[in-house]
Amino acid sequence: MGGAGTGSPHLDRRPSPARTPVVRSLAPGPLPDPLPPPGAAAELWLLREHHDADFSLLDPAERDRAARTRPGPARTAYAAAHTALRRLLGAYTGTPPASVRLTRDDCPLCGGPHGRPRLADRNGPHFSLSHAPGLTLLAFAATPVGVDVEAVPGPATVAAIARGLHPIERRELAALPVADRPAAFARAWARKEAYLKGLGTGLARPLHLDYVGTGPVAPPPPDPDWTLDDIPLRPTAPARTAALALLRGGDGRR
């Protein structure tokens, strides 16, 4: 698989409320080159596990991480996701995928070099990437963005992890029938991780600080400078839930 991309965009449009993001699926075939840069809304791409992985496009850090991942589907999925990321960034910026250089901002909490990932020359869109078994979701935007996709966990996982959530989220889960808690927990977790990725802290920021809700509609985000939306993946991925966080206005490049 060569050229600047791994797939052509097939828009997946379904009836949805205002601000519901549109997800594009990557199908075999070349990407338009260059792609129009993202505007006020984020561009979302869904990558299936059948896409090829081109290890030659990965930088040394990515190849090292792939090598430390157990051989098999997990390693291939990681490499395929980062292959797609580089090809999409190449298409957005008119850069050969092998020449795309990535770095990270400083962490807002500790100042370490593990904040939001970005293009090394800052000449292109902000982006975020998330894996769940069987698929990868990628987001590109003109402002800082975070995306997360989660598999709905089992009740035992919910019981073990939910105690770290915001107090109101814990009460919301406790009020639900046991059978309904996994889906509600997955919604909260996807929203929370998308928001924390957008901030650049990731899970280093305590989970109990930010209320993102467990209900079927995302509440206003903790910071009014951000938007927070659920991403509809059904019926293509019925056992997955996803969310998008996007900074309003400005470009967040500091």
Side-chain angles (χ1 to χ4, degrees), residues 54-71 74-75 78-79 82 86:
D54 187 344
F55 286 84
S56 70
L57 294 184
L58 307 187
D59 66 21
E62 290 167 323
R63 287 197 293 271
D64 179 66
R65 177 166 175 178
R68 289 186 283 108
T69 303
R70 178 179 297 179
R75 179 184 291 183
Y78 173 85
H82 285 259
R86 290 176 173 279

Side-chain angles (χ1 to χ4, degrees), residues 105-178:
D105 288 332
D106 293 339
C107 172
L109 294 179
C110 70
H114 46 259
R116 278 191 305 259
R118 62 170 173 83
L119 287 163
D121 63 4
R122 298 180 180 266
N123 184 27
H126 295 266
F127 60 90
S128 183
L129 179 156
S130 181
H131 300 279
L135 58 83
T136 296
L137 193 61
L138 302 102
F140 302 85
T143 60
V145 61
V147 72
D148 191 57
V149 58
E150 296 289 335
V152 176
T157 300
V158 175
I161 301 177
R163 67 191 68 178
L165 298 180
H166 190 280
I168 298 177
E169 293 163 353
R170 295 201 302 268
R171 291 198 294 269
E172 289 174 351
L173 288 174
L176 292 173
V178 172

Side-chain angles (χ1 to χ4, degrees), residues 172-213:
E172 289 174 351
L173 288 174
L176 292 173
V178 172
D180 294 339
R181 292 176 189 172
F185 172 84
R187 287 193 293 264
W189 191 271
R191 294 167 189 167
K192 199 174 295 276
E193 191 159 352
Y195 178 63
L196 297 181
K197 284 182 177 181
L199 292 181
T201 66
L203 297 179
R205 180 176 170 88
L207 298 176
H208 68 269
L209 293 181
D210 304 299
Y211 173 72
V212 296

Side-chain angles (χ1 to χ4, degrees), residues 12 14 46 152 183 187 231-241:
D12 180 13
R14 296 185 179 86
L46 188 66
V152 176
R187 287 193 293 264
I231 300 171
L233 296 180
R234 297 184 180 190
T236 55
R240 308 288 183 268
T241 187

